[in-house]
Amino acid sequence: MKLRTKYHGEVEVNGTDIFYFSNGIPGFLDEKQFVLLPIEDTPFIILQSVKTPVLGFAMIDPFLYFPDYDIELDEQTIERLELSSERDVAVYVILTVADPFENTTANLQAPIVVNRAKKLGKQVILTNTPYRTKHRLFPEKAGAK
Amino acid sequence: MLVLTRRLHEAIQIGGEIEIIVLSIQGDQVKLGINAPKHVDIHRKEIYLAIQAENSEASLASKTVLHELQSHLKKLERGENE
């Protein structure tokens, strides 16, 4: 099927590429279908809504940029995503791309967790965690150059 | 809004499947136990609102700024490899 997207123009996707988010995501509860579209040559993966072409979230692999990032999925999430093997899990975090881009932050408190095999997804809100919604991607500059 | 008064260890039943129990009361803190089906997400309200706001903000990223970010990251990578 052809899909109109926020960052990739019109793309061809298979029905089997569509991830189902049964509860939507906070703020976008009616958005239940997304595809993951990597932007070539970049670390970005776009969480693109199937229903709404202009709705896409830039995500990254948190473990690349925050090597100490460590999360534990609760039983409810594991059950909801029908996760039976660690191999099937992928974790992403949504970027809030700021203008200027140096102030871009990553939401480590609410990662997007997907079951790659069963194509199920959920934005998991971590509890009892030190992670917050805004972690800077670039450390703050100590002084002007 | 429906307002109900409950004492310690008393509960509220919502529909057939959701139960909220007052587990303890200490000063201005109330500890609640919630039984609900697995498909129901339960969150502290302020955290849920923060995630909601963050998602809304994140959805606004323009293509232009994302491109700037892209080229900046590339520069960083090249810098590290040199």
Side-chain angles (χ1 to χ4, degrees):
Chain A
M1 61 184 271
K2 285 222 191 322
L3 191 68
R4 284 188 300 135
T5 69
K6 181 173 181 182
Y7 296 105
H8 295 74
E10 199 173 75
V11 296
E12 183 69 36
V13 297
N14 287 322
T16 51
D17 293 334
I18 295 173
F19 284 83
Y20 183 61
F21 286 61
S22 60
N23 286 20
I25 66 173
F28 302 89
L29 299 181
D30 295 332
E31 300 287 348
K32 298 184 191 292
Q33 291 188 309
F34 291 92
V35 286
L36 301 181
L37 301 173
I39 300 187
E40 229 174 293
D41 285 336
T42 79
F44 304 125
I45 296 142
I46 304 298
L47 182 69
Q48 170 66 48
S49 158
V50 170
K51 190 173 86 166
T52 312
V54 296
L55 186 64
F57 298 91
M59 308 190 297
I60 52 164
D61 174 348
F63 305 107
L64 288 178
Y65 291 89
F66 304 92
D68 298 334
Y69 190 52
D70 184 22
I71 63 169
E72 202 169 312
L73 298 178
D74 59 17
E75 235 173 86
Q76 193 193 6
T77 301
I78 291 168
E79 206 161 301
R80 180 91 66 81
L81 294 178
E82 299 175 23
L83 288 166
S84 51
S85 156
E86 222 171 275
R87 272 201 327 256
D88 298 334
V89 194
V91 177
Y92 305 96
V93 293
I94 296 181
L95 294 178
T96 302
V97 182
D99 193 359
F101 65 84
E102 287 92 341
N103 295 334
T104 293
T105 56
N107 183 352
L108 300 190
Q109 190 175 8
I112 298 288
V113 182
V114 301
N115 181 335
R116 283 186 288 211
K118 298 214 161 149
K119 293 289 184 288
L120 298 172
K122 182 180 195 282
Q123 186 171 27
V124 177
I125 299 182
L126 302 174
T127 47
N128 306 325
T129 156
Y131 301 119
R132 290 163 287 110
T133 55
K134 286 184 191 288
H135 289 257
R136 290 182 68 96
L137 203 53
F138 309 108
E140 218 144 349
K141 277 182 193 152
K145 274 180 192 169
Chain B
M1 190 195 290
L2 172 68
V3 179
L4 301 172
T5 303
R6 303 278 58 199
R7 291 175 199 282
L8 189 61
H9 303 311
E10 288 184 340
I12 289 170
Q13 181 77 26
I14 301 174
E17 295 184 302
I18 299 174
E19 180 190 38
I20 299 172
I21 311 159
V22 181
L23 294 179
S24 76
I25 306 168
Q26 273 184 329
D28 61 354
Q29 282 200 320
V30 179
K31 195 178 269 183
L32 301 172
I34 302 155
N35 281 315
K38 291 240 158 67
H39 62 86
V40 177
D41 287 324
I42 302 163
H43 302 293
R44 291 181 174 87
K45 178 91 180 198
E46 67 278 12
I47 293 175
Y48 185 80
L49 291 179
I51 305 297
Q52 206 175 36
E54 198 60 33
N55 281 347
S56 299
E57 202 184 329
S59 73
L60 301 176
S62 75
K63 217 171 169 169
T64 329
V65 187
L66 193 61
H67 278 257
E68 283 174 27
L69 181 58
Q70 246 164 264
S71 38
H72 184 67
L73 285 175
K74 272 199 196 130
K75 260 186 249 162
L76 283 184
E77 273 167 33
R78 277 201 299 270
E80 279 168 12
N81 292 339
E82 269 164 21

